[in-house]
C-alpha cells in the first residue's frame, strides 16, 4: 500500500478547517499533514514541508487564494492544488484554474463526492465542470484572435480539434466516460487531453492574452 | 508827469530835491510819495504784464486778427482773415467754410455774445452765423460785409454792415434799418449799447448816431463832434463816452469833450478800438500801436504805457482772468497778463539787467546797484551812474545810506560815496578797503561797519580799524552784517557766524550737520531771533543758542537763501535761485519745535511776472522792503517789485470742459450722456481747462466712477484713456486746478453707458444660467432616479433575503432542535439530520443566487447563460436527473437589466423545479438561442407530462412564470407533447415588449392537446 497522501489545507474558517481535516484523516489513504489559516503562512510552510496535495480556499484573508496558487505553482509546478469554494462562481474558478489550480471542489459537496474528487485528482485526473468547460472554450476562442507571441510555448496556445470536441461535449453535459465512448478513445486518453488543456491554460496565464482577458 | 527815461550820457543829477532844507525835502518827498502811492499801479512805469504772443506758428489760422471775444463758457474766440479760431489755452481749433458749411466766409470780422450764450459771427461777405451748443447755423445776410455786432438787453442782436446799413435780429427775424428806416448812413463801423438802453452806432459818414425809442438821431450833446467816421465806442460809466475816430481819441462827458492825439502820446491818431481792464485802465488800440490810460475821473487823461509800436491794433478784449488781448492786423494776437511783480530792467532804462542790490533812502528814492553801475528811481524818473561818472567799478556790491544822508556805494574794486550829488572815491590809502565791499552797517553809535573780502572794517570818529581772523572772526571774507538788540553786531562770513557784543568778538556755532558755513544774509527779529540765509545750507534760525536749519528736505525750493525780508504780515519772503518764496513764520517755528516735518512755501516764478528765477544775492542788501510796504527783489533780469498786500492772482480753478469722447476712433457727441456701442476696445475722454493766464500750471484729475477705484492724477495731460471697459453705467468726472491750489469742486461730468454685446447682456446670461440650472436639475433628478432604482433593488434583495432565507433558516432551527421528536430514534434521526443538511445547503444555494444577482459584473448575456447552466446542472444533479445543455458560447457581452436577469432566472428555476418535483423525468434538456433581440429559453423533459383531460395544476408556479416573463416584456408557453413537457420562454433583450404570435398555447386555461 502506498503511503498516505499528505494533504495540506489552507482555510481561514476554523470550524470548516476542522471538519475538512477530520474528513481527510478519516479517509483511507489520505492524511492531513498541516493546516494553514492564510496564504502567507501557507507559502512559508509548504515551502519548508511540501505536501502531496493542497486544498486551498479561494477566499483568504490577505493574499488571495488565486495569487497563492500562482506563487505555489511557480515554486513547485508539480504540486497539485485543488480550490475550495463556497459558491460556484465560474469566473473566480476559471481564474484560479488559469493561475494553475488543478481542479476545484464546492464546499457543500457531500462527503462521498468530495473524497471521490480528491482521489481522481491524485490519480492525475482533471475534473472540469461544464461551466468551466464553457469558459475554457470561450477563452481559447478569444485567444485565437490575438496575435501569437513567439517562444518555446508557441505550440501550446491553441486547442487541437480533438480537445475542442472534448470541451464541447463537456459543455453539453457529457461525462468523461460518455465522451470516451463517443469518441472511441479510452478514458485515460480523455484524461490526458484534459490535462493538456489545463497545461495550455496555465501557459496562457503568463502571456499577454491572459492579461488582456483578465482585464475584461 | 510824463515818463522820462534816464540818459546816462547826460550829466547825472539827482532829481531836484537836494539842496533844499530837510523839512522841505521831506514834505515834497512825502507829497511825491503820496502821489505815487495814490496813483498806485496805474502810474507804475515798470512793466507789470507777462507778454505772450500767438501767431500762425502757434496754430492761429492767420496773423490778421479782426476780433477777439471770450464767451461765458470760458473759450476764447478769435476772428481772423482765414477763419474763426477757438482757443482753450493750449490749442486753436479752426472753423472755416471748408469744415463748417454754415460759415459762408473765412474772413471773420466781428464777434459778439448774446445774453443767451450764443456766439454771433460776422464775416466779410458771408453774412452772420450763429454758434449755439456746438452747432453753427447761418442766420442771414449772405453777401454782406459785417463790420460790427452788438447784443442788447432786449434780446436783439444788432448787425452793422458796410454798405448794407444796420440790421436787428430778434425772435428769428431780421429787421433792416436803411435810409427808409431812418438810418442816415449805410456804412456802420461800430455799435454799442449805452447804459440807458440807447443803441449808439458809429458810422462812416454820419458820425455818431443813436437809436432811441425806434428813431435814429445824432447823439445828444455831440454837436460839432465826430461827424467823421467813428471806429470805436466805449462807455465808461454813466455819462462818459469814449469815441475812437481817425482824428484821435475823444472823451465825451458832461465836462465837454477832450481829444487825445499823438501829441498826448497816442502812437497814431487813428483810434480803432477801446477797452478797459480790471484795474480800470483804458486800453486804446490805434493804427500804430496800443496805449494804456489810467483811470481817473477828474484828471487829464494821459498815456502811461504803450505797446506794439507800429502795429495796427484793431481789436482788444479783456478776459475773465484779467488778461488783455490785443488783436493786430499782421502779427497775430498779443496777450498781456497782469502779474504780481512789476519789473524794472535795462528795457525800462536800468544800466544793466543784472541788479545786485537795492535800497531805499529816507526820502523814498530807490537805489539800485547793477552790473553796469548805479541807478536811482524816483517818482517815475531813473538816473544812473557808472565808471565814467567816477564809480570805482561798474559792478556795485553794496549800498548804504548813512545818518547824514550820504549814499555809500561798495563796488568790486573800491568804495564810493555820494554826498550831495557828488560822487567821491574812498581811497585805500586813507585806510578804506581796497577790494570788494559786500555789506555795510551803521550802528546806533554812528560807527560804520564795512564787510569786505578782506576783513571787517570799522570807521569810527574818522579812524578806520581793520578786524581779521586774529580778532576772532572765523574768516576774513565778510558777507553779511546785521544789527541786533543791545548793540549786537551780527557778522556773517564765508566760514560761519560771529557776534560782536559788548566789545567782544566771538564766533558762533552753526547747527551740526548744516551743509555749509557760508552766510549770505542776516536778519534779527525784534524778539531776538536771528535768521541766516546760507549758500547750500538753506535758512537757519538761531534762538537762544539753539539753531535749526531749513533746507530742501524741509520743503524749501532751494537750499540757498540770498535775502530774508519780512512783509509785516507774519510772513518771511526769501530769495534764491529758483524764484522768490514766502513762508509763514509760525510754520517755521512749528517746524523748529518738530510739530511739522515739512514746509509749504508759496513760490513765485515767471508766471507771476518774475523776470528771472535767479535772484542775486552776493551783494547786500539783496532785497528791500520799502516804506510803502512793497518788496524789491533784485534778479539777473532786473529788479522785481511787488506789493504783498494786493491780491496776487486769481487762484480760482479754471472751468473744465469735456471736449469729446472717442470710442475706437468714433467721435461721440458729448452731452450729458454718452452711449458706447459694445465691443469697443478703447475709450478716450478729451478735456480742457480754460485758463489763459497760466495754462502751464493747470493740472487735471479724473475718475471713471464704477471703473476706477480712485482718482487718477493726469498732471498736464488732457486725455484720459481707458481700455476694455465692461458693459455698465459709469460717470466720468474730471476736475482741474492750478498748481497745488484749489481744485474744482465739480469739474465736468458725463454719464457713460457701455452697451453689452448680446452675449454679455443679463438676458442672455440669465438664459444660459437658466438652461444650465435646468440641465443640472435634470442630471440631479436622473441620478436620483438611479439611486432610487438601486434602493428598490436593495429593498427587493432585503425582502428576498428575509423571505427565503429567513424562512429556511427558521426551519433549520426548528428541525435541528434537540427536543425534536425525530431525534428519538437514531435511524430516523439520521434521515432527519439529512434533511436538515439538505435544507442548509439549499439556503447556501439561494444565497449564491442572490450574490450572483447583486453583482453588477453579471449584468450581461454571457454571464446569464453561464449561470443558467450552472444552477440547472446543480439542481438536476441533486435530484439525480441528467441535464443536457445546448447553450451558445462566446456571445457578445450585451448588457441586461437586473430585472431581466432576475425574472428570467427565477422563471426558469421555477419551471425546472416543477419538472424535478412532478414530472418524474430522468433527463432534462436546456436549450438557449439568441436571434437578434430575442432570447429563447426552452426547457424540455422526458417525464410524464400532464395526463390528457386532467386539469392543469393551477399551481402558483405557472402563474408566477407568466407574470415574471410579462414583467420583462416577454411571454411563456407550455407545450405538452405527451411524453414530457416543454416550457418556452421568450424575452426581448433590449427592453420593450414581444408580441405573442397567433396560435400557441396559453399557459393558463383549459388544456388543449
Amino acid at each position: 500500500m502506498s503511503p498516505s497522501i499528505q494533504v495540506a489545507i489552507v482555510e481561514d474558517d476554523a470550524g470548516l478547517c476542522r471538519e475538512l481535516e477530520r474528513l481527510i484523516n478519516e479517509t483511507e489513504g489520505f492524511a492531513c499533514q498541516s493546516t494553514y489559516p492564510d496564504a502567507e503562512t501557507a507559502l512559508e510552510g509548504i515551502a519548508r514541508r511540501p505536501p502531496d496535495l493542497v486544498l486551498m480556499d479561494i477566499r483568504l484573508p490577505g493574499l488571495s487564494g488565486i495569487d497563492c496558487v500562482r506563487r505555489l505553482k511557480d515554486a513547485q509546478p508539480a504540486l497539485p492544488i485543488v480550490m475550495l469554494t463556497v459558491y460556484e462562481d465560474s469566473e473566480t474558478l476559471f481564474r484560479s484554474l488559469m493561475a494553475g489550480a488543478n481542479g476545484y471542489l464546492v464546499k457543500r459537496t457531500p462527503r462521498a463526492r468530495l473524497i471521490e474528487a480528491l482521489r481522481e485528482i491524485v490519480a492525475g485526473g482533471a475534473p472540469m465542470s461544464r461551466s468551466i468547460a464553457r469558459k475554457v472554450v470561450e477563452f481559447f476562442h478569444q485567444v485565437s484572435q490575438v496575435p501569437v507571441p513567439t517562444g518555446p510555448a508557441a505550440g501550446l496556445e491553441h486547442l487541437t480539434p480533438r480537445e475542442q470536441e472534448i470541451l464541447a461535449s463537456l459543455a453539453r453535459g457529457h461525462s468523461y466516460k460518455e465522451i470516451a465512448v463517443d469518441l472511441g478513445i479510452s478514458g485515460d486518453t480523455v484524461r490526458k487531453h484534459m490535462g493538456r488543456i489545463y497545461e495550455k491554460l496555465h501557459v496562457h496565464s503568463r502571456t499577454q492574452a491572459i492579461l488582456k482577458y483578465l482585464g475584461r | 508827469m510824463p515818463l522820462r527815461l534816464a540818459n546816462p550820457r547826460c550829466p547825472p543829477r539827482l532829481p531836484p530835491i537836494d539842496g533844499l532844507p530837510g523839512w522841505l525835502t521831506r514834505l515834497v518827498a512825502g507829497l511825491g510819495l503820496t502821489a505815487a502811492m495814490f496813483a498806485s499801479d496805474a502810474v507804475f512805469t515798470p512793466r507789470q504784464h507777462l507778454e505772450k504772443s500767438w501767431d500762425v506758428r502757434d496754430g492761429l489760422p492767420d496773423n490778421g486778427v479782426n476780433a477777439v471775444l471770450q464767451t461765458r463758457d470760458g473759450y476764447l474766440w478769435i476772428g481772423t482773415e482765414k477763419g474763426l479760431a477757438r482757443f482753450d489755452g493750449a490749442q486753436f481749433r479752426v472753423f472755416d467754410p471748408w469744415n463748417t458749411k454754415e460759415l459762408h466766409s473765412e474772413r471773420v470780422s466781428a464777434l459778439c455774445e448774446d445774453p443767451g450764450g450764443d456766439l454771433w459771427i460776422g464775416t466779410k461777405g458771408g453774412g452772420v452765423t450763429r454758434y449755439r451748443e456746438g452747432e453753427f447755423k447761418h442766420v442771414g445776410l449772405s453777401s454782406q460785409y459785417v463790420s460790427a455786432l452788438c447784443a442788447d438787453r432786449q434780446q436783439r442782436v444788432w448787425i452793422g454792415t458796410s454798405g448794407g446799413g444796420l440790421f436787428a435780429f430778434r425772435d428769428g427775424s431780421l429787421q433792416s434799418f436803411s435810409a427808409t428806416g431812418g438810418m442816415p448812413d449805410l456804412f456802420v463801423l461800430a455799435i454799442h449799447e449805452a447804459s440807458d438802453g440807447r443803441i449808439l452806432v458809429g458810422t462812416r459818414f454820419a458820425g455818431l448816431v443813436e437809436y432811441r425809442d425806434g428813431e435814429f438821431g445824432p447823439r445828444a450833446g455831440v454837436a460839432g463832434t465826430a461827424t467823421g467816421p467813428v471806429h470805436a465806442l466805449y462807455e465808461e460809466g454813466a455819462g462818459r463816452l469814449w469815441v475812437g475816430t481817425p482824428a484821435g481819441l475823444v472823451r465825451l462827458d458832461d465836462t465837454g469833450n477832450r481829444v487825445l492825439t499823438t501829441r498826448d502820446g497816442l502812437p497814431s491818431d487813428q483810434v480803432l478800438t477801446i477797452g478797459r481792464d480790471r484795474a480800470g485802465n483804458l486800453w486804446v488800440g490805434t493804427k500804430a500801436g496800443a496805449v494804456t490810460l489810467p483811470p481817473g475821473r477828474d484828471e487829464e487823461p494821459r498815456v502811461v504805457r504803450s505797446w506794439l509800436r507800429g502795429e495796427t491794433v484793431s481789436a482788444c478784449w479783456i478776459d475773465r482772468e484779467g488778461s488783455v488781448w490785443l488783436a493786430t492786423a499782421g502779427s497775430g494776437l498779443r496777450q498781456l497778463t497782469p502779474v504780481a511783480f512789476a519789473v524794472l530792467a535795462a528795457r525800462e532804462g536800468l544800466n544793466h539787467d543784472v541788479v545786485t542790490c537795492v535800497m531805499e533812502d529816507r526820502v523814498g528814492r530807490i537805489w539800485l546797484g547793477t552790473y553796469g553801475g548805479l541807478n536811482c528811481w524816483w517818482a517815475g524818473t531813473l538816473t544812473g551812474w557808472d565808471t565814467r561818472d567816477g564809480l570805482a567799478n561798474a559792478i556795485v556790491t553794496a549800498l548804504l545810506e548813512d545818518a547824514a544822508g550820504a549814499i555809500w556805494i561798495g563796488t568790486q574794486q573800491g568804495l564810493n560815496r555820494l554826498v550831495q550829488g557828488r560822487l567821491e572815491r574812498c581811497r585805500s590809502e586813507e585806510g578804506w578797503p581796497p577790494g570788494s565791499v559786500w555789506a555795510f552797517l551803521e550802528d546806533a553809535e554812528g560807527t560804520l561797519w564795512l564787510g569786505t573780502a578782506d576783513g571787517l572794517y570799522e570807521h569810527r570818529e574818522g579812524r578806520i580799524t581793520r578786524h581779521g581772523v586774529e580778532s576772532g572772526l572765523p574768516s576774513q571774507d565778510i558777507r553779511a552784517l546785521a544789527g541786533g538788540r543791545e548793540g549786537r553786531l551780527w557778522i556773517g562770513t564765508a566760514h560761519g557766524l560771529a557776534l560782536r557784543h559788548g566789545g567782544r568778538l566771538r564766533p558762533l556755532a552753526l547747527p551740526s550737520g548744516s551743509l555749509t558755513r557760508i552766510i549770505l544774509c542776516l536778519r534779527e527779529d525784534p524778539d531776538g531771533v536771528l535768521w541766516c540765509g546760507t549758500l547750500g545750507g538753506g535758512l537757519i534760525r538761531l534762538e537762544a543758542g539753539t539753531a535749526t536749519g531749513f533746507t530742501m528736505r524741509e520743503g524749501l525750493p532751494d537750499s540757498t537763501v540770498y535775502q530774508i525780508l519780512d512783509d509785516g504780515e507774519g510772513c518771511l519772503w526769501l530769495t534764491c535761485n529758483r524764484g522768490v518764496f514766502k513762508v509763514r513764520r509760525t510754520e517755521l517755528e512749528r517746524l523748529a519745535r518738530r510739530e511739522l516735518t515739512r514746509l509749504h512755501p508759496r513760490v513765485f516764478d515767471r508766471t507771476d511776472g518774475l523776470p528771472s528765477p535767479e535772484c542775486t544775492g552776493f551783494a547786500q542788501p539783496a532785497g528791500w522792503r520799502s516804506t510803502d510796504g512793497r518788496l524789491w527783489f533784485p534778479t539777473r533780469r532786473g529788479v522785481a517789485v511787488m506789493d504783498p498786500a494786493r491780491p496776487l492772482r486769481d487762484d480760482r480753478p479754471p472751468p473744465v470742459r469735456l471736449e469729446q469722447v472717442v470710442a475706437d476712433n468714433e467721435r461721440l457727441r458729448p452731452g450729458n450722456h454718452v452711449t458706447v456701442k459694445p465691443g469697443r476696445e478703447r475709450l478716450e475722454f478729451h478735456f480742457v481747462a480754460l485758463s489763459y493766464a497760466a495754462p502751464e500750471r493747470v493740472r487735471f484729475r479724473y475718475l471713471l466712477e464704477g471703473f476706477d477705484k480712485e482718482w487718477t492724477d493726469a498732471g498736464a495731460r488732457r486725455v484720459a484713456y481707458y481700455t476694455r471697459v465692461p458693459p455698465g453705467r459709469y460717470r466720468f468726472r474730471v476736475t482741474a486746478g492750478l498748481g497745488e491750489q484749489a481744485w474744482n469742486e465739480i469739474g465736468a461730468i458725463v454719464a457713460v453707458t457701455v452697451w453689452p454685446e448680446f452675449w454679455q447682456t443679463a438676458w442672455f446670461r440669465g438664459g444660459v444660467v437658466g438652461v444650465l440650472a435646468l440641465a443640472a436639475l435634470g442630471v440631479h433628478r436622473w441620478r436620483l432616479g438611479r439611486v432610487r432604482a438601486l434602493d428598490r433593488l436593495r429593498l427587493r434583495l432585503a425582502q428576498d433575503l428575509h423571505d427565503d432565507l429567513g424562512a429556511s433558516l427558521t426551519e433549520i432551527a426548528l428541525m435541528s432542535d434537540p427536543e425534536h421528536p425525530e431525534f428519538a430514534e437514531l435511524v430516523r434521526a439520521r434521515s432527519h439530520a439529512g434533511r436538515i443538511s439538505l435544507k442548509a445547503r439549499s439556503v447556501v444555494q439561494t444565497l449564491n443566487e442572490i450574490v450572483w444577482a447583486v453583482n453588477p459584473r453579471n449584468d450581461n448575456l454571457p454571464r446569464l447563460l453561464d449561470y443558467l447552466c450552472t444552477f440547472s446542472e446543480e439542481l438536476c444533479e441533486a435530484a439525480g436527473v441528467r441535464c443536457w445543455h445546448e447553450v451558445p458560447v462566446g456571445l457578445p457581452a450585451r448588457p441586461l437589466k437586473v430585472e431581466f436577469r432576475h425574472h428570467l432566472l427565477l422563471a426558469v428555476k421555477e419551471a425546472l423545479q416543477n419538472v424535478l418535483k412532478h414530472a418524474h423525468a430522468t433527463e432534462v434538456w436546456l436549450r438557449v438561442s439568441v436571434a437578434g433581440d430575442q432570447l429563447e429559453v426552452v426547457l424540455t423533459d422526458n417525464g410524464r407530462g400532464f395526463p390528457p383531460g386532467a386539469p392543469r395544476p393551477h399551481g402558483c408556479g405557472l402563474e408566477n412564470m407568466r407574470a415574471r416573463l410579462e414583467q420583462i416584456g416577454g411571454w411563456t408557453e407550455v407545450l405538452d407533447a405527451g411524453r414530457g413537457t416543454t416550457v418556452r420562454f421568450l424575452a426581448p433583450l433590449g427592453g420593450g415588449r414581444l408580441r405573442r404570435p397567433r396560435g400557441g398555447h396559453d399557459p393558463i386555461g383549459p388544456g388543449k392537446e
Side-chain angles (χ1 to χ4, degrees), chain B residues 36-59:
Chain B
M37 277 170 68
F38 184 79
S40 77
D41 317 90
V43 185
F44 224 72
T45 50
R47 66 188 132 102
Q48 207 169 1
H49 288 90
L50 208 56
E51 284 184 48
K52 271 189 240 174
S53 55
W54 308 94
D55 56 29
V56 288
R57 287 173 301 196
D58 305 296

Side-chain angles (χ1 to χ4, degrees), chain A residues 15 21 60 90 122 173 176 184 210:
Chain A
E21 195 180 359
L60 292 169
S90 325
V122 165
Y176 282 18
I210 286 255

Side-chain angles (χ1 to χ4, degrees), chain B residues 401-424:
Chain B
E401 186 195 28
D402 66 14
I407 309 290
W408 292 80
I409 305 144
T411 74
Q412 205 167 52
Q413 276 174 356
L415 190 60
N416 281 100
R417 197 167 56 175
L418 193 62
V419 180
Q420 291 182 350
R422 274 191 338 271
L423 201 60
E424 292 171 3

Side-chain angles (χ1 to χ4, degrees), chain B residues 218-250:
Chain B
R219 190 208 182 259
V222 181
T225 58
T227 50
V230 170
H231 285 277
L233 290 163
Y234 187 78
E235 191 182 19
E236 184 190 5
R240 176 175 288 185
L241 185 69
W242 294 86
V243 182
T245 73
L249 181 68
V250 181

Side-chain angles (χ1 to χ4, degrees), chain B residues 66-67 79-80 84 103 105-112 119-130 144-149 159-160:
Chain B
N66 299 321
T80 74
L84 177 69
L103 271 177
S105 166
E106 60 178 356
R107 302 177 69 190
V108 179
S109 50
L111 296 168
C112 91
L119 177 72
W120 291 78
I121 305 145
T123 64
K124 297 183 191 171
V128 175
T129 302
R130 185 167 66 184
Q144 294 288 1
Y145 186 118
V146 177
S147 51
L149 287 168
I159 304 158

Side-chain angles (χ1 to χ4, degrees), chain B residues 420-441:
Chain B
Q420 291 182 350
R422 274 191 338 271
L423 201 60
E424 292 171 3
R425 189 71 212 272
C426 301
R427 301 195 184 283
S428 50
E429 296 85 22
E430 294 156 25
W432 294 107
S436 316
V437 178
W438 297 112
F440 289 110
L441 184 79

Side-chain angles (χ1 to χ4, degrees), chain B residues 164-331:
Chain B
L166 188 66
F167 296 85
F169 184 89
R170 169 144 70 171
D171 296 330
S173 65
L174 215 51
Q175 186 183 5
S176 155
F177 298 91
S178 54
T180 47
M183 181 66 193
D185 190 4
L186 291 176
F187 289 84
V188 175
L189 297 172
I191 311 170
H192 186 86
E193 186 191 18
S195 47
D196 54 8
R198 285 172 301 157
I199 307 298
L200 299 165
V201 185
T203 66
R204 167 81 54 86
F205 302 112
L208 191 56
V209 172
E210 70 176 32
Y211 176 80
R212 191 211 320 237
D213 303 325
E215 279 182 12
F216 284 94
R219 190 208 182 259
V222 181
T225 58
T227 50
V230 170
H231 285 277
L233 290 163
Y234 187 78
E235 191 182 19
E236 184 190 5
R240 176 175 288 185
L241 185 69
W242 294 86
V243 182
T245 73
L249 181 68
V250 181
R251 186 183 73 180
L252 297 171
D253 55 17
D254 43 18
T255 65
N257 37 343
R258 166 93 166 82
V259 181
L260 282 136
T261 63
T262 46
R263 279 200 306 272
D264 305 288
L266 282 184
S268 158
D269 285 333
Q270 295 200 55
V271 176
L272 300 171
T273 182
I274 308 167
R276 193 161 77 157
D277 69 15
R278 299 217 300 200
N281 300 305
L282 207 68
W283 290 77
V284 180
T286 72
K287 208 139 176 118
V291 290
T292 320
L293 276 67
R297 276 242 47 113
D298 303 315
E299 287 166 20
E300 281 293 304
R302 67 191 186 291
V303 170
V304 292
R305 191 101 167 108
S306 73
W307 316 83
L308 295 163
R309 278 197 171 272
E311 298 276 0
T312 304
V313 179
S314 48
C316 71
W317 184 267
I318 288 85
D319 73 15
R320 285 208 298 270
E321 289 165 308
S323 296
V324 179
W325 297 83
L326 297 171
T328 70
S331 317

